[in-house]
Amino acid sequence: MSQQVRESTTFKILKISQKKISSPRTGGIECELSVESLFDPPEYEALSYTWGSATQDCPIRIHTTSEPVGTETVLVTQHLHAALLRLRQPTAPRLVWIDQLCINQNNIQEKNAQVRLMADIYKRAQRTVVWLGEVFMLDEDRDAIIDATNRMSYRPDNAYSSLGDVNIIQDLIGFEYHGENREIGMRRRQVLADLLDRPWFTRAWVFQEAVVAKRGIVLCGSLEIDMEVLINLLDGVCDRDFQELGETASIMHTSKGYKPMFAIREARFEEMYGVSSSRKSKWLAMLWQGMGNLSATNQRDKIYAFLAFSDSEEVARIAPSYEKSVGSVYSDAALRSIRSMQSLDVLELAIKSDKSSFTLPSWVPDFSRPLPSLPFMTHNVGSTAFRASRGLSYPHLTQEPPQDFSKLYVRGCIISTVRSIAPMVFPNHGPTKTLNGIIGLTEIIAWVTSQLPLELDLSLHRIRERVLQALFAEGAGRDDTPGNLNYDDADALKVYNNEPMLLERRDTGFFRRPAPKSKSDAFKELELQHRYLQWLERVVKIMHHKKLFLSGHNEFGLAYEAVEEGDLICILLGSKTPTLLRKVSDEEGQGCYQFVAQCYVEGWMRGEKHEGRAWTEDDVKDLTVI
């Protein structure tokens, strides 16, 4: 295994022999390792898998064909050994690229160089084999799943339908059946649910490996299924599951793998059909996915695993190096994201926290940890209708980045301060799913009325509208409202008040019944309110683990729990939302500020002009964030 790759365009390929050697210790696994050119390789496959336990205690024999030539016994993980046994063909050798064997894991320089090539290695492979591990199921269930996947043969025109083929899903799991048939369906459902809980779906590198692959094949025990077809089958089962069992009991909610699977499907669609609107924002969205849904043994891979998803020259300058500290890798990625996108969008992934395991400046996201809730640009990270800085960017972003990552030099203006913070954190009343339960408006209104000066003379109705507007963050800048409407104070309050009635009708199946041929105005209004409720049920997640606050000018705002009274509310050039900064004591850094979080502030999200408080580009000043 001491054989080295000598050029940046060469890589190793493993030939798994069909010959069984006599030693029972190796399980009959004999391989040959050769160095090949990335631009003219033989036909090969690439393995996508998880290492499982880091313990390498399963021996195999490897013969090297380049200097130094020789044969040695190599120890691999149990999970990889099981994959090799499945990959080995009875009558012919098989060429496969496997990171554990084709990269010298003890040679940091080789590892750095080969990680840069991994996207190309998977792109050039004839197909990518996804190994999920062994699975135990009844033969009849295995045959039923194979039959379903055969019927759901890959069709590019509808391969990404979120519903899948309803009839096939019905035949496989048949929720409306009773007795024995229902038990069979639920058993098969559990088999598929277990697949989604396999560690492969939550590994950071699977994005690159699965998304850029020409073709993917999934191996799970003796099952071999086309990756697109399996994803469609799982998605169809999840959708059926959601309809029949509800959100909290559905695989969508209980499985760790559903969100990553959905993201892989969407990313493959964009890669295959070129429909991505911006690969620069895609890079940021992938980093967000990695924070919340994916794991990595080496936390540097929370950056390196997604480099293939940006076509920015700036991001391309990030050279994988496992010698650098995690803090410097994250700081470099954050700064190059700012330069690449010519914006401060990456700040929406940062929150002031003392819980990080790494030494990071306050403005650098800890990409190893999930955000406590959705950022304010929930529709797509970096994509929103909010324009707090009116599209203005900081001109210094075009200069060569400094070597000192501890400071971020920005320009902006301070518009107010945080005067008072509500004591409640959302959800306000435990793990409830209803808007009324999550918000608890009566308790909030009591706090607000105790804080607002009497001379404002606001009606209770108007206070309720403004509070909801802040809590929903005006829909968080989303553009998918019913009928493409903008967030409306009156509509939101009406739906909030009518929620119990709307939920009762939903539970009785009222909205699933065929619509009458001639709809009355009352029916149309009810239908619209229900669609608006469904939209608010998605948007309401924006307020989780956040607090309502009042500014020094009595504006309602929403921010993460890290907010403190006295924090400065700023408009930073290049930021789509207002930013909270905290003055640093002179002993810590004279004239400097700490980044707290981005926030929502009513009346400042779209570059509005305020009488007596209007700002222009000439009014901004230099600010140093540490």
Side-chain angles (χ1 to χ4, degrees):
M1 286 289 288
S2 59
Q3 182 182 29
Q4 301 293 312
V5 286
R6 305 184 186 280
E7 301 176 21
S8 60
T9 57
T10 59
F11 71 120
K12 301 172 193 171
I13 293 180
L14 191 76
K15 180 191 289 186
I16 305 172
S17 175
Q18 77 277 20
K19 178 182 177 182
K20 294 185 179 180
I21 58 177
S22 57
S23 172
R25 292 183 63 249
T26 64
I29 299 295
E30 182 175 338
C31 306
E32 184 179 288
L33 201 60
S34 61
V35 177
E36 306 289 348
S37 168
L38 186 61
F39 297 117
D40 187 28
E43 290 190 359
Y44 69 95
E45 299 168 292
L47 183 67
S48 178
Y49 70 113
T50 60
W51 278 40
S53 169
T55 304
Q56 295 171 286
D57 54 5
C58 296
I60 65 172
R61 288 180 60 187
I62 294 184
H63 176 69
T64 55
T65 60
S66 302
E67 293 295 335
V69 176
T71 302
E72 60 181 315
T73 298
V74 176
L75 297 178
V76 300
T77 62
Q78 292 183 10
H79 195 59
L80 176 56
H81 193 265
L84 291 170
L85 290 173
R86 290 290 183 182
L87 287 169
R88 185 181 56 194
Q89 299 179 137
T91 59
R94 190 168 188 170
L95 298 181
V96 187
W97 185 88
I98 303 173
D99 64 344
Q100 196 174 143
L101 297 172
C102 296
I103 299 176
N104 186 344
Q105 302 296 323
N106 297 319
N107 186 321
I108 295 296
Q109 290 184 335
E110 178 177 326
K111 188 175 180 180
N112 291 343
Q114 290 293 292
V115 165
R116 299 178 199 179
L117 300 180
M118 282 179 63
D120 285 325
I121 289 173
Y122 279 92
K123 284 179 182 177
R124 294 173 185 273
Q126 293 301 304
R127 66 179 190 172
T128 293
V129 179
V130 175
W131 171 244
L132 296 183
E134 295 295 343
V135 65
F136 301 97
M137 66 179 76
L138 297 177
D139 289 343
E140 63 181 271
D141 293 343
R142 177 183 178 278
D143 293 342
I145 292 172
I146 291 175
D147 176 67
T149 56
N150 287 339
R151 292 166 62 192
M152 294 183 73
S153 58
Y154 174 55
R155 299 184 299 276
D157 59 330
N158 66 358
Y160 295 90
S161 166
S162 61
L163 295 178
D165 190 311
V166 176
N167 292 330
I168 295 174
I169 302 302
Q170 179 61 50
D171 290 346
L172 183 64
I173 58 176
F175 275 108
E176 84 273 22
Y177 294 163
H178 299 282
E180 180 183 356
N181 287 330
R182 178 174 175 80
E183 291 180 7
I184 292 172
M186 292 299 287
R187 187 180 68 227
R188 292 172 184 169
R189 168 198 176 274
Q190 190 58 48
V191 169
L192 295 171
D194 290 343
L195 289 186
L196 272 177
D197 274 330
R198 296 291 171 117
W200 183 86
F201 285 99
T202 57
R203 177 173 166 260
W205 279 107
V206 304
F207 265 83
Q208 178 172 279
E209 298 166 3
V211 170
V212 304
K214 289 180 184 177
R215 185 187 173 203
I217 295 295
V218 177
L219 280 182
C220 191
S222 60
L223 277 174
E224 181 173 324
I225 306 172
D226 183 277
M227 182 166 63
E228 257 82 22
V229 174
L230 178 62
I231 288 178
N232 290 332
L233 177 67
L234 290 172
D235 196 31
V237 170
C238 288
D239 183 81
R240 180 73 176 174
D241 198 54
F242 176 81
Q243 292 181 40
E244 296 294 334
L245 301 180
E247 180 181 1
T248 56
S250 71
I251 299 174
M252 288 183 184
H253 183 79
T254 60
S255 167
K256 297 177 182 177
Y258 178 77
K259 288 183 180 179
M261 180 197 73
F262 182 84
I264 288 171
R265 187 189 68 179
E266 295 302 307
R268 273 189 68 76
F269 183 73
E270 293 176 358
E271 287 287 324
M272 294 170 67
Y273 299 105
V275 298
S276 179
S277 57
S278 170
R279 287 183 65 88
K280 292 180 180 179
S281 61
K282 187 69 177 178
W283 147 259
L284 201 57
M286 287 297 183
L287 294 183
W288 179 36
Q289 285 282 349
M291 292 173 70
N293 300 314
L294 303 174
S295 61
T297 303
N298 190 312
Q299 295 305 321
R300 298 168 185 83
D301 289 335
K302 286 295 190 82
I303 300 298
Y304 299 153
F306 304 108
L307 292 177
F309 295 100
S310 174
D311 56 7
S312 162
E313 293 181 5
E314 192 63 50
V315 173
R317 292 192 179 100
I318 298 176
S321 173
Y322 290 90
E323 297 162 309
K324 290 183 178 180
S325 69
V326 175
S328 65
V329 171
Y330 287 3
S331 298
D332 186 23
L335 189 56
R336 293 194 182 279
S337 295
I338 292 172
R339 287 167 49 80
S340 168
M341 302 183 69
Q342 292 290 285
S343 77
L344 299 176
D345 287 349
V346 72
L347 296 186
E348 63 183 301
L349 303 181
I351 304 172
K352 178 176 171 53
S353 172
D354 299 325
K355 297 179 180 179
S356 177
S357 302
F358 313 109
T359 302
L360 298 169
S362 63
W363 57 274
V364 174
D366 183 351
F367 294 104
S368 71
R369 296 170 55 86
L371 291 174
S373 66
L374 295 176
F376 284 100
M377 290 181 264
T378 62
H379 184 58
N380 188 4
V381 177
S383 175
T384 179
F386 293 151
R387 294 290 183 271
S389 63
R390 303 173 190 158
L392 298 174
S393 61
Y394 181 34
H396 290 187
L397 295 180
T398 60
Q399 297 181 357
E400 187 61 28
Q403 295 301 311
D404 180 10
F405 291 123
S406 64
K407 297 179 180 179
L408 178 66
Y409 300 99
V410 295
R411 303 193 73 204
C413 57
I414 299 171
I415 60 171
S416 192
T417 60
V418 175
R419 176 172 68 83
S420 184
I421 303 171
M424 63 285 295
V425 179
F426 304 100
N428 200 8
H429 295 290
T432 178
K433 297 297 180 181
T434 67
L435 300 184
N436 281 261
I438 291 171
I439 296 172
L441 197 55
T442 301
E443 185 178 347
I444 298 172
I445 295 302
W447 174 81
V448 169
T449 53
S450 72
Q451 298 295 316
L452 288 175
L454 294 176
E455 57 267 24
L456 286 182
D457 194 26
L458 292 174
S459 69
L460 183 60
H461 182 83
R462 182 55 188 148
I463 291 176
R464 288 166 65 91
E465 286 184 337
R466 288 180 61 187
V467 166
L468 285 180
Q469 174 182 289
L471 294 180
F472 288 122
E474 295 179 34
R478 295 177 67 125
D479 58 5
D480 58 348
T481 52
N484 294 320
L485 301 174
N486 293 323
Y487 178 87
D488 183 84
D489 296 345
D491 287 340
L493 182 57
K494 182 193 301 181
V495 169
Y496 180 86
N497 290 333
N498 290 341
E499 183 190 31
M501 176 270 293
L502 293 170
L503 291 179
E504 182 182 359
R505 297 209 173 195
R506 177 195 292 177
D507 291 342
T508 60
F510 177 84
F511 297 108
R512 292 202 300 266
R513 298 170 189 166
K517 294 182 180 180
S518 179
K519 296 182 181 179
S520 66
D521 290 342
F523 185 89
K524 292 178 182 177
E525 172 64 18
L526 201 61
E527 231 179 12
L528 180 60
Q529 284 192 37
H530 183 246
R531 288 199 300 270
Y532 209 96
L533 173 63
Q534 290 176 312
W535 178 69
L536 290 180
E537 286 172 334
R538 297 195 298 273
V539 175
V540 74
K541 296 176 183 178
I542 193 73
M543 70 181 70
H544 285 209
H545 297 284
K546 293 187 177 73
K547 288 187 173 184
L548 187 74
F549 68 83
L550 283 170
S551 76
H553 295 80
N554 298 310
E555 293 143 340
F556 291 96
L558 188 69
Y560 285 106
E561 296 175 75
V563 62
E564 293 181 1
E565 292 181 0
D567 284 345
L568 305 174
I569 304 172
C570 307
I571 301 294
L572 301 183
L573 302 192
S575 177
K576 295 182 176 70
T577 64
T579 301
L580 295 177
L581 297 181
R582 189 170 298 161
K583 191 74 169 64
V584 176
S585 64
D586 288 344
E587 291 77 13
E588 295 179 80
Q590 189 171 6
C592 295
Y593 301 85
Q594 281 190 325
F595 175 84
V596 179
Q598 292 192 318
C599 65
Y600 168 87
V601 184
E602 65 171 333
W604 292 94
M605 304 305 293
R606 293 175 169 82
E608 298 92 331
K609 295 183 178 181
H610 297 258
E611 186 176 351
R613 298 167 63 202
W615 63 273
T616 67
E617 196 169 2
D618 295 331
D619 298 322
V620 300
K621 62 179 182 179
D622 294 333
L623 301 169
T624 302
V625 185
I626 61 175

